[in-house]
Amino acid sequence: MKKIYSFLLVVAMSTSVMAQHEIGGIFGGMNGVSYKYWFTESFALQGDLAVGLTRAAGDFPSFGLYDFTINPNALYHWQLPENFNIYAGGGASLGLMGAINGYGTVDGKFGLNAAVGATYDLQEVPLVFALDFRPGYGLGFNANPGQLNYFDWKLAFAVRYRL
């Protein structure tokens, strides 16, 4: 049993040495909490828990739905000079939606999105600034009537503290 605890301690310590975490806020098309976990220097998983407006097609106006979303994205980064990175990747959007102005209700949503953007990493202070664009396509469930297909895009600015 002592060997198992020692092994788990070594794995946890080596993972924390290799990994870098960032936590902060995201603002714009999505407003909420943003977390990024780096697996390598180039590959990261970013998750956002946010509230925003969805621009749905069809009978809904351009800002017809509000949403509460969990949005995980796998991102590949390319290092540029002067602490800049650009990245691209994709992910999923899972959450709850509601209609504005009495256009009915949408209880749940699921979608897929792309993500492209840029980051600037302050070296003197452990802060990272990011700007990204996320076009996506999704399905809203229990819409009035039936199911709502929508194309959506988010433009967001994030500020994260590097742990």
Side-chain angles (χ1 to χ4, degrees), residues 54-73:
T54 297
R55 296 146 190 89
D59 294 335
F60 290 89
S62 63
F63 286 102
L65 302 167
Y66 64 89
D67 58 54
F68 178 75
T69 304
I70 297 171
N71 184 220
N73 289 289

Side-chain angles (χ1 to χ4, degrees), residues 30 35 44-49 69-75 89-94 110-113 115 134:
M30 302 170 63
Y35 174 78
L45 181 64
Q46 177 178 322
D48 302 310
L49 180 61
T69 304
I70 297 171
N71 184 220
N73 289 289
L75 303 171
S93 177
L94 182 64
F110 174 76
L112 298 174
N113 64 274
R134 299 181 198 181

Side-chain angles (χ1 to χ4, degrees), residues 1-8:
M1 189 63 120
K2 206 176 200 182
K3 290 181 182 183
I4 293 173
Y5 287 128
S6 298
F7 174 74
L8 292 175

Side-chain angles (χ1 to χ4, degrees), residues 36-45 73-77 88-89:
K36 185 179 271 189
Y37 179 84
W38 290 86
F39 291 98
T40 68
E41 288 185 14
S42 299
F43 183 72
L45 181 64
N73 289 289
L75 303 171
Y76 187 81
H77 291 251

Side-chain angles (χ1 to χ4, degrees), residues 66-128:
Y66 64 89
D67 58 54
F68 178 75
T69 304
I70 297 171
N71 184 220
N73 289 289
L75 303 171
Y76 187 81
H77 291 251
W78 292 273
Q79 179 71 39
L80 298 177
E82 300 297 324
N83 305 329
F84 279 99
N85 281 306
I86 56 171
Y87 59 86
S93 177
L94 182 64
L96 302 172
M97 296 173 77
I100 297 172
N101 299 329
Y103 280 95
T105 62
V106 179
D107 295 328
K109 76 172 209 171
F110 174 76
L112 298 174
N113 64 274
V116 294
T119 63
Y120 181 73
D121 189 353
L122 292 177
Q123 294 298 317
E124 305 81 32
V125 182
L127 285 178
V128 177

